[in-house]
Amino acid sequence: MIPEQSASQITVSEDPLCTEPRLTSFDSSLTPVDLFFIRHHFSDVPKLDAETWTLSVEGEVENSLSISYQELLTLPQRTLPVTFECAGNSRVAMSPPVEGVFWGNGAVGNAEWTGVSLRDVLNQAGIKNTVKEIFFEGADSGEEEEQGLKFDLSYSRSLPLDKAMHPDTLLAIRMNGESITPDHGYPIRLIVPGWYGVASVKWLIKIRALDRPYQGFFQTRRYVIIKEGEDKEQPPKPLTAMPVKSLITQPRRGKVFFPGENVIQGFAWSGEAKIRRVDFSTDGGKTWVKAQLDEAPSDYAWCPWSFRWKVSKPGYYMLAARATDESSNTQPLSGVWNYRGYAINSIHMVPIEVAHHVRMPGESLPWEP
Amino acid sequence: MIPEQSASQITVSEDPLCTEPRLTSFDSSLTPVDLFFIRHHFSDVPKLDAETWTLSVEGEVENSLSISYQELLTLPQRTLPVTFECAGNSRVAMSPPVEGVFWGNGAVGNAEWTGVSLRDVLNQAGIKNTVKEIFFEGADSGEEEEQGLKFDLSYSRSLPLDKAMHPDTLLAIRMNGESITPDHGYPIRLIVPGWYGVASVKWLIKIRALDRPYQGFFQTRRYVIIKEGEDKEQPPKPLTAMPVKSLITQPRRGKVFFPGENVIQGFAWSGEAKIRRVDFSTDGGKTWVKAQLDEAPSDYAWCPWSFRWKVSKPGYYMLAARATDESSNTQPLSGVWNYRGYAINSIHMVPIEVAHHVRMPGESLPWEP
């Protein structure tokens, strides 16, 4: 079943459903639910009912638990604005092209998530000191093909214990103040701030404490960086935190500006550090000037930036934005090609045209009669 | 009106209709009509009737003519296998992305065209010695936007006199031995061997001899190379002959091979010269070996090539093919970015995986129970 879809998003894949908004529709720092990208992994969206839903907590724990939605509501709540993107966002920029959902640049969003610290629930269960990782399973499942063989799988991922125990890692109940919609993980979604969206398991139904690293499909065969020429004997590492990145949201590529002042806008974020600055270029990255940076609403949320560009000369320009974070990480001109096209944080460029504002004396367009 | 479309092609644009076959469906040197890419410029496909169709020949000529389909059939006929591609083919490889129909690599085909030498008709009309170019108009027309203004335009292009007078420039009546289909220019299509498809005007209805260069929309605003940073005062030059290029048609990207011998296939062509050699790489162009090259059926047709690749080591490989023509032109690793994404002949790369053919002793896939 394909759920109803917002007309304001582009369908990047029909089955499983994947949608992204146009970058030019990002006009405020908080992304409305109907403009938030959707990345499903299987055909069916789980139909869960908060009344009957339970979350089991099991494995290497003192007390296995089964928690109801009502119980979660009684625990202390936190609210955090969190930006995350799909690990395959901007895949369209990877050349040669790779397999995978062919995302443009819109598979990123910034929403306000409200819920219970995962730590509070894990402490209630009592984590044994043998535990290395916490495993999470969603209610979504389906078939995946690998090396010519087919497997029935549930969507599942794990976190190292320290990230799971961080107070900001949430069992989220609300998105932008409302119940989470079915497309975004109703009733409960794990939220792992600073990490790629892949970690924030939707339709969460099971937590298991493990005394060993989890080797699941979405952790060893997908959402891992495999470089060209890589040997198959080397087990790849799962993706974790998002590197520093920025996007230009205004103008869209191909826009025609006129001489005068034109406003350029965008967002910048970094999973593990605050954004220190954003630089802006009109010549494809040869020269840079500092853009105006707004304050982010939280350490995990993107910073809006803008630039008032005064241009007088008609011609063709390549706009570019480059963010730098407080750990001095910055964006590469082009990223390292990898087999599945993940973790692309190369500088976003937008080609535009500056036309004559009015016809020059004697000027006519050449195909006019 | 959108015409019926072959299920074996991908719709790249719905309006105007643009379709391309999957590269893996190119399995012979002559492209069947239902696998030949379609590039319309306007919503409507002209509905012409060969019984009533006429071609006017006018301008700087001794005798203006109006030629019927029946008259064309009585003139001497030539048959030529001709490869041409859309000037925007492979635009998907251009990063940052540009405006325009977002072609993969399939907007290229090799068909056998039969018709009358344009020269015979021009000689009949008598070209005056003031003539510099020959102008061609198709029956297709519609609206285009430019610098915020809208224009009603017919599709039209010109050729320099020497190219128009070349005996291989045809008024084509047949494609692969049959009447040309409406999508490909019925009843008569200009065929300009060696040049991008843009020159081969479909639904041809008018020829005009000009004593000056033609400055039409599809010749000065489209199908021209505009580089980043280009000044608007410099009039760009229209695209003409296709540069040397090759494509890998087998395997598709993401294919899983097994150790042993695997066959790689593709085509190579160059508008102005014969293909001298094709080199093949399994490491993304770091090292090359010579591929097997078949003879092209004509100087204007692509050469099939193949390579029998013996591989023993499981891993991830980047296949690449590079053609060189008899004028020693070869393909660049990456092309020069240009504002509309034209004339992309950079080396085609296809990432693939070589898996273990059988499970190794003790091996299990990590997500298996």
Side-chain angles (χ1 to χ4, degrees):
Chain A
M1 188 205 71
I2 295 175
E4 250 185 56
Q5 178 210 348
S6 166
S8 48
Q9 295 205 38
I10 301 156
T11 301
V12 188
S13 158
E14 280 187 7
D15 184 14
L17 184 70
C18 296
T19 71
E20 62 173 306
R22 287 168 215 286
L23 270 182
T24 49
S25 61
F26 287 112
D27 61 357
S28 78
S29 68
L30 213 61
T31 311
V33 174
D34 68 352
L35 281 180
F36 203 96
F37 77 95
I38 296 171
R39 202 298 183 223
H40 295 340
H41 286 88
F42 302 108
S43 301
D44 295 334
V45 173
K47 288 185 174 173
L48 301 180
D49 180 351
E51 294 297 309
T52 56
W53 173 90
T54 56
L55 175 62
S56 67
V57 185
E58 52 188 53
E60 301 288 304
V61 293
E62 302 297 340
N63 320 295
S64 295
L65 305 174
S66 175
I67 298 172
S68 72
Y69 190 78
Q70 285 306 320
E71 283 173 290
L72 276 183
L73 291 179
T74 64
L75 294 174
Q77 306 283 314
R78 291 173 67 85
T79 295
L80 290 170
V82 171
T83 294
F84 61 76
E85 66 173 332
C86 176
N89 193 30
S90 309
R91 188 175 276 138
V92 72
M94 189 149 282
S95 182
V98 287
E99 288 299 273
V101 176
F102 214 53
W103 295 112
N105 292 300
V108 57
N110 182 52
E112 204 171 66
W113 299 92
T114 302
V116 174
S117 290
L118 169 64
R119 178 170 73 168
D120 292 351
V121 168
L122 293 177
N123 283 340
Q124 208 170 309
I127 298 296
K128 291 185 182 173
N129 58 18
T130 53
V131 171
K132 295 210 170 81
E133 292 192 351
I134 308 292
F135 160 99
F136 304 90
E137 186 176 305
D140 51 331
S141 63
E143 198 176 62
E144 288 279 351
E145 196 174 328
E146 193 62 22
Q147 301 186 15
L149 304 169
K150 287 181 177 173
F151 298 92
D152 282 312
L153 297 168
S154 290
Y155 186 78
S156 49
R157 291 271 305 186
S158 72
L159 288 178
L161 187 61
D162 59 344
K163 187 70 181 172
M165 292 299 277
H166 193 289
D168 293 336
T169 299
L170 301 182
L171 299 172
I173 301 166
R174 292 176 177 278
M175 179 183 185
N176 291 350
E178 306 285 336
S179 287
I180 298 172
T181 61
D183 275 335
H184 293 291
Y186 175 86
I188 298 296
R189 179 177 194 168
L190 181 67
I191 291 293
V192 184
W195 285 32
Y196 280 113
V198 56
S200 291
V201 177
K202 297 195 278 191
W203 310 295
L204 191 65
I205 52 172
K206 191 189 283 182
I207 295 175
R208 180 184 281 269
L210 301 179
D211 57 7
R212 61 197 153 74
Y214 175 59
Q215 298 285 304
F217 180 85
F218 294 101
Q219 188 132 324
T220 59
R221 294 294 308 180
R222 296 289 184 276
Y223 301 109
V224 292
I225 300 282
I226 301 171
K227 292 177 188 142
E228 190 242 316
E230 197 144 305
D231 195 306
K232 279 187 80 78
E233 308 306 318
Q234 306 286 336
K237 287 191 184 128
L239 287 168
T240 58
M242 299 179 293
V244 61
K245 185 166 175 177
S246 60
L247 288 172
I248 297 169
T249 58
Q250 298 287 354
R252 66 165 175 76
R253 63 176 192 265
K255 168 86 176 173
V256 178
F257 276 152
F258 293 108
E261 183 175 281
N262 294 282
V263 178
I264 319 293
Q265 289 180 296
F267 296 109
W269 68 95
S270 182
E272 297 188 311
K274 290 170 99 161
I275 294 295
R276 182 195 291 158
R277 62 185 286 164
V278 172
D279 294 296
F280 174 71
S281 171
T282 61
D283 56 11
K286 288 188 269 298
T287 60
W288 296 95
V289 282
K290 203 171 168 182
Q292 164 80 33
L293 190 63
D294 291 357
E295 197 156 347
S298 89
D299 284 2
Y300 302 116
W302 61 27
C303 299
W305 62 264
S306 61
F307 190 83
R308 293 182 174 275
W309 180 39
K310 291 194 185 81
V311 57
S312 58
K313 191 178 175 192
Y316 297 87
Y317 294 84
M318 183 71 82
L319 310 184
R322 183 185 64 192
T324 304
D325 70 20
E326 292 203 335
S327 305
S328 296
N329 297 304
T330 192
Q331 297 180 254
L333 197 58
S334 57
V336 175
W337 190 93
N338 68 88
Y339 188 78
R340 296 202 181 274
Y342 290 126
I344 299 158
N345 73 327
S346 49
I347 289 165
H348 184 209
M349 296 201 196
V350 173
I352 62 107
E353 178 179 346
V354 175
H356 297 290
H357 192 217
V358 289
R359 300 270 179 107
M360 297 295 102
E363 185 193 31
S364 67
L365 296 175
W367 55 90
E368 286 184 288
Chain B
M1 187 204 71
I2 295 174
E4 248 185 57
Q5 178 210 349
S6 167
S8 47
Q9 294 205 38
I10 301 156
T11 301
V12 188
S13 158
E14 280 186 10
D15 184 14
L17 183 70
C18 297
T19 71
E20 63 174 307
R22 287 167 215 287
L23 270 184
T24 50
S25 61
F26 287 113
D27 61 358
S28 78
S29 66
L30 212 63
T31 310
V33 174
D34 67 352
L35 281 181
F36 203 97
F37 77 95
I38 296 171
R39 201 299 181 221
H40 294 340
H41 286 88
F42 302 109
S43 301
D44 295 334
V45 173
K47 287 183 175 172
L48 301 180
D49 180 350
E51 296 297 310
T52 56
W53 173 90
T54 56
L55 175 63
S56 67
V57 185
E58 52 188 53
E60 301 289 304
V61 294
E62 303 298 340
N63 320 296
S64 293
L65 305 174
S66 176
I67 298 172
S68 72
Y69 189 76
Q70 285 305 319
E71 283 172 291
L72 276 184
L73 290 179
T74 64
L75 295 173
Q77 306 283 312
R78 292 173 66 84
T79 295
L80 291 170
V82 171
T83 294
F84 61 74
E85 66 174 333
C86 175
N89 193 30
S90 309
R91 187 174 276 140
V92 72
M94 190 149 280
S95 183
V98 287
E99 286 299 273
V101 176
F102 214 53
W103 296 110
N105 292 299
V108 57
N110 182 52
E112 205 172 66
W113 299 92
T114 303
V116 173
S117 289
L118 170 64
R119 176 169 71 169
D120 293 351
V121 169
L122 293 177
N123 283 340
Q124 210 171 303
I127 297 296
K128 292 186 181 168
N129 60 16
T130 53
V131 171
K132 295 212 171 84
E133 291 192 351
I134 308 293
F135 161 95
F136 304 90
E137 186 175 305
D140 50 331
S141 63
E143 198 176 62
E144 288 280 350
E145 196 174 329
E146 193 62 23
Q147 300 186 16
L149 304 170
K150 286 179 179 176
F151 298 92
D152 281 312
L153 296 169
S154 290
Y155 186 79
S156 49
R157 291 271 304 185
S158 73
L159 288 178
L161 188 60
D162 59 344
K163 188 69 181 174
M165 292 300 277
H166 193 289
D168 294 336
T169 297
L170 301 182
L171 300 173
I173 301 167
R174 293 178 176 278
M175 179 184 186
N176 291 350
E178 307 285 338
S179 285
I180 297 171
T181 60
D183 276 335
H184 294 291
Y186 176 86
I188 299 295
R189 178 176 194 169
L190 181 67
I191 292 293
V192 185
W195 285 33
Y196 279 114
V198 56
S200 293
V201 176
K202 298 195 278 191
W203 310 294
L204 191 65
I205 52 171
K206 190 188 285 179
I207 295 176
R208 179 182 282 268
L210 301 180
D211 57 7
R212 58 194 155 77
Y214 175 59
Q215 297 286 304
F217 180 84
F218 293 102
Q219 186 133 326
T220 59
R221 294 294 309 178
R222 298 287 183 276
Y223 300 108
V224 292
I225 299 283
I226 301 171
K227 291 176 189 145
E228 190 242 312
E230 199 146 303
D231 196 305
K232 279 186 82 80
E233 307 307 317
Q234 305 287 335
K237 287 190 185 129
L239 287 168
T240 58
M242 300 179 291
V244 62
K245 185 166 176 178
S246 59
L247 289 171
I248 297 169
T249 58
Q250 300 285 354
R252 66 163 177 77
R253 63 176 191 265
K255 167 85 175 173
V256 178
F257 276 153
F258 292 109
E261 184 176 279
N262 295 281
V263 178
I264 319 295
Q265 290 179 297
F267 297 109
W269 68 94
S270 182
E272 296 189 308
K274 290 170 95 163
I275 294 295
R276 181 196 290 158
R277 61 183 289 162
V278 172
D279 295 295
F280 174 72
S281 170
T282 60
D283 56 10
K286 288 186 268 298
T287 60
W288 297 95
V289 283
K290 203 172 168 181
Q292 165 80 33
L293 191 63
D294 292 357
E295 198 157 345
S298 89
D299 284 2
Y300 302 117
W302 60 28
C303 299
W305 62 266
S306 61
F307 189 83
R308 292 181 174 275
W309 180 38
K310 290 194 185 80
V311 57
S312 58
K313 192 179 173 190
Y316 297 87
Y317 293 84
M318 184 70 84
L319 310 184
R322 183 185 64 193
T324 304
D325 70 20
E326 292 201 337
S327 306
S328 296
N329 297 305
T330 192
Q331 298 181 251
L333 196 59
S334 57
V336 175
W337 190 93
N338 67 87
Y339 189 76
R340 297 203 181 273
Y342 291 125
I344 299 157
N345 74 326
S346 50
I347 290 165
H348 185 209
M349 297 199 195
V350 173
I352 62 107
E353 177 180 347
V354 175
H356 297 290
H357 192 216
V358 290
R359 300 274 177 102
M360 298 291 105
E363 186 193 29
S364 66
L365 297 175
W367 55 89
E368 287 183 289

